[in-house]
Amino acid sequence: MDANEFRRRGKEVVDAIADYYENLDNIPPLSTVSPGYLYKIIPNEAPETPESFEDIQADLKTKIMPGMTHWQSGNFFAWYPSNSSFPGILGDMYSSMFNIVGFNWVCSPAATELETVVMDWLGKLVGLDKRYMGIKDDGTEGTGGGVIQGTASEAHIAVMIAGREMALERLKAQGLSGDEADKMRHKFVAYFSDQTHSAGQKAANIIGCKTHMIATDDGLRLTKQALQAAIAADKAAGLIPFFVCGTFGTTNTAAIDDLPGIAEVAESEQIWNHVDAAYAGAALVCPEFRPLAAGIERADSFNFNAHKWMLTNFDCSALWVANSTHLVNALSIHREYFPPAEGDTSFVKNYRDWQLPLGRRFRALKLWFVMRMYGASGIRAHIREHVRQAKWLEEQLLADGRFEILAPTVFGLVVFRLKPSVIAKGDKDVDLEDLNKANNDLVKYCNVDGRLFLLSTLLKGVVAVRVAIGSSFGTQKNVDLVLDVLKESASKVIAEL
């Protein structure tokens, strides 16, 4: 393919992408293929000779498309959104054009410096404290800064490594040698709640530390008191606390942990305090949500996924650290083939030392496109409309009379179930098993309908239905549809009792 054919085919692909997005509401959001379907219809070896673009495009439509679940559909309500946008796609196209491996400043100065700039832009946009900024107001280098990770899972691993480094330095400051401190690693313990994302446990598995999973309160929140008790018990058992993760917007219910209380305990115990805001952090672009995040200004690190609810195509996970020293010390390795920058290095961050891989894509470019083409006002409007739709759906479900809300609707997530009284037979109290089955059946009927996709979850043994509103391309009519399907499906479930 030469430049002329690329130009022609590229225009065809852009047209196909635009057509896809314009017709998303007419495509069932959930793929219905069976496991192994693709192995039966494509060759088991790569072609020996070149194949035509037309043949590949035809196979995309007839073989790949049936196996796609359409995350960008306005009728996709299953998991938290994975926002796409046309500005994000355009930025990604330019990133693919450059196709750099940006492990240090010399690799492409613009890639490093733009990431530093846009992460400061984004940090200010969500109201982060100045200590998280890479560049101070006077133009000099800050002690903290932001870096774009691939996912929140990668961010978890990076900051847990930083927390471990901080704990080792603390032990050495108490008089242990480096070898003696290293031999204590098996005693290190990290703290999560029973609602913390699975990324926390995976990070602990990877770095090889112990974990303490703490039960949440009735609001499914990690509290100061529960954390204090867990740490006290572990210290009495000879373990060494080194890391805690609080969550701003949990996966199951979008609950907000006691971030000020967690910060107080973390400061007292001198352990790394990370705030995972993978989903709900995007809401902080709206000032009215910032009081809910009190305490993040005291954290050691803060992370949210711009690729979830902030219009930036996957992958773009924004991580900030208040002080990069421990992160860089833990992950920095020098080789002679990593040439240093010369001159003023205020804007020179070797982001290879802020992440697990060496190489990195030019992800800042798509974020730059999104922030410029939407502007702060456009991003806020995007968030506020989804919150409005979620609160409208909550009101409609309550007005129906057959549903009850199981968690406060604060952001774009509505968590509910069919009422026990609706499932009860006669004067008998409903059995939890029967109630859970009825709500699982509710979700099943909604998905069998084919027009939308949603999921249930389990909250301390109780089955709950989740509707996660947040598609870049969704409108009120999509929320009208989910309400209609929920009502229709509820009637089917009740009729079968």
Side-chain angles (χ1 to χ4, degrees):
M1 180 181 286
D2 59 19
N4 286 331
E5 185 181 0
F6 173 75
R7 183 176 288 109
R8 179 163 60 92
R9 298 305 190 185
K11 290 175 181 177
E12 292 176 14
V13 170
V14 169
D15 283 343
I17 292 171
D19 290 344
Y20 169 77
Y21 280 107
E22 286 183 339
N23 291 285
L24 261 178
D25 281 355
N26 300 319
I27 306 172
L30 178 61
S31 172
T32 57
V33 300
S34 299
Y37 90 101
L38 196 57
Y39 294 97
K40 301 172 184 177
I41 58 176
I42 62 173
N44 58 14
E45 293 182 357
E48 181 65 29
T49 58
E51 296 184 353
S52 71
F53 179 83
E54 287 85 358
D55 286 346
I56 298 170
Q57 188 83 320
D59 282 349
L60 178 70
K61 292 178 181 178
T62 61
K63 298 176 181 178
I64 303 301
M65 193 66 78
M68 295 304 299
T69 291
H70 301 280
W71 284 68
Q72 304 312 315
S73 170
N75 297 325
F76 180 99
F77 300 102
W79 297 286
Y80 282 142
S82 177
N83 277 180
S84 176
S85 69
F86 294 129
I89 292 173
L90 294 174
D92 246 351
M93 289 171 67
Y94 275 116
S95 178
S96 294
M97 178 186 77
F98 292 120
N99 199 34
I100 67 165
V101 183
F103 51 81
N104 71 0
W105 184 87
V106 176
C107 290
S108 276
T112 295
E113 296 195 14
L114 184 63
E115 185 157 341
T116 302
V117 169
V118 297
M119 287 300 291
D120 276 5
W121 279 14
L122 186 55
K124 293 171 184 175
L125 187 60
V126 298
L128 292 185
D129 189 82
K130 287 185 178 181
R131 67 197 189 105
Y132 290 109
M133 299 299 112
I135 303 298
K136 297 179 182 178
D137 290 339
D138 62 4
T140 60
E141 185 177 10
T143 57
V147 57
I148 301 176
Q149 304 280 341
T151 65
S153 298
E154 294 172 45
H156 258 288
I157 300 168
V159 296
M160 284 189 75
I161 291 171
R164 184 179 64 187
E165 180 73 13
M166 185 173 79
L168 290 169
E169 290 301 318
R170 186 175 72 246
L171 291 176
K172 286 186 278 188
Q174 294 170 359
L176 272 65
S177 69
D179 288 343
E180 289 171 334
D182 283 340
K183 291 178 181 178
M184 304 293 282
R185 289 188 184 200
H186 69 285
K187 295 186 176 183
F188 285 9
V189 58
Y191 297 87
F192 307 105
S193 84
D194 56 22
Q195 297 298 307
T196 303
H197 192 273
S198 62
Q201 183 63 59
K202 177 174 279 191
N205 293 349
I206 290 171
I207 75 165
C209 70
K210 299 180 185 299
T211 59
H212 193 140
M213 206 69 65
I214 304 172
T216 49
D217 65 7
D218 291 342
L220 300 174
R221 303 165 63 247
L222 174 60
T223 65
K224 170 186 174 181
Q225 293 76 16
L227 177 60
Q228 284 177 318
I231 288 176
D234 286 340
K235 289 172 72 175
L239 299 179
I240 302 173
F242 83 102
F243 180 92
V244 62
C245 176
T247 305
F248 180 75
T250 58
T251 302
N252 271 336
T253 63
I256 301 169
D257 288 340
D258 176 13
L259 301 180
I262 292 170
E264 185 176 333
V265 175
E267 290 164 358
S268 173
E269 298 290 340
Q270 294 183 293
I271 64 177
W272 189 282
N273 175 16
H274 176 59
V275 175
D276 173 17
Y279 161 65
L284 298 177
V285 301
C286 304
E288 62 267 29
F289 291 107
R290 292 179 193 165
L292 300 175
I296 64 171
E297 72 283 352
R298 299 164 66 183
D300 294 292
S301 52
F302 175 82
N303 170 236
F304 89 90
N305 289 338
H307 63 240
K308 269 193 167 66
W309 200 15
M310 213 196 85
L311 299 160
T312 308
N313 296 51
F314 187 85
D315 52 352
C316 187
S317 186
L319 170 67
W320 290 267
V321 290
N323 188 323
S324 64
T325 301
H326 297 298
L327 181 63
V328 172
N329 286 349
L331 297 178
S332 177
I333 297 175
H334 181 69
R335 293 290 184 270
E336 63 278 1
Y337 41 80
F338 299 150
E342 298 179 358
D344 181 7
T345 59
S346 295
F347 279 86
V348 177
K349 295 187 183 299
N350 290 318
Y351 283 121
R352 69 172 188 270
D353 300 333
W354 293 54
Q355 62 171 27
L356 302 180
L358 172 65
R360 54 203 328 273
R361 299 189 301 111
F362 194 178
R363 287 180 290 226
L365 203 54
K366 60 188 171 187
L367 183 58
W368 189 54
F369 268 62
V370 166
M371 294 177 74
R372 293 186 67 185
M373 294 187 74
Y374 281 95
S377 62
I379 297 171
R380 292 187 187 110
H382 167 77
I383 297 294
R384 286 170 176 153
E385 175 58 13
H386 291 147
V387 174
R388 184 202 65 77
Q389 291 172 2
K391 291 185 179 295
W392 178 88
L393 179 60
E394 177 189 48
E395 292 170 0
Q396 298 303 310
L397 291 171
L398 290 172
D400 177 271
R402 295 176 292 177
F403 303 93
E404 63 180 358
I405 304 300
L406 297 183
T409 302
V410 179
F411 305 111
L413 180 69
V414 188
V415 184
F416 58 96
R417 69 174 178 179
L418 287 168
K419 284 181 176 180
S421 59
V422 172
I423 306 303
K425 300 174 182 178
D427 295 331
K428 295 182 179 179
D429 290 336
V430 64
D431 182 81
L432 179 60
E433 184 177 347
D434 292 337
L435 181 58
N436 283 349
K437 180 181 182 303
N439 282 285
N440 277 327
D441 287 346
L442 174 65
V443 172
K444 180 183 71 175
Y445 282 128
C446 286
N447 291 334
V448 167
D449 176 88
R451 290 177 288 174
L452 54 81
F453 179 32
L454 51 81
L455 290 175
S456 62
T457 190
L458 201 62
L459 306 177
K460 295 186 182 293
V462 173
V463 170
V465 184
R466 295 170 74 258
V467 173
I469 298 169
S471 168
S472 307
F473 300 92
T475 65
Q476 179 63 44
K477 73 174 185 177
N478 300 103
V479 186
D480 292 343
L481 174 64
V482 77
L483 177 63
D484 290 344
V485 174
L486 281 166
K487 288 181 175 182
E488 294 167 9
S489 300
S491 296
K492 291 178 183 178
V493 171
I494 295 167
E496 292 180 352
L497 294 174

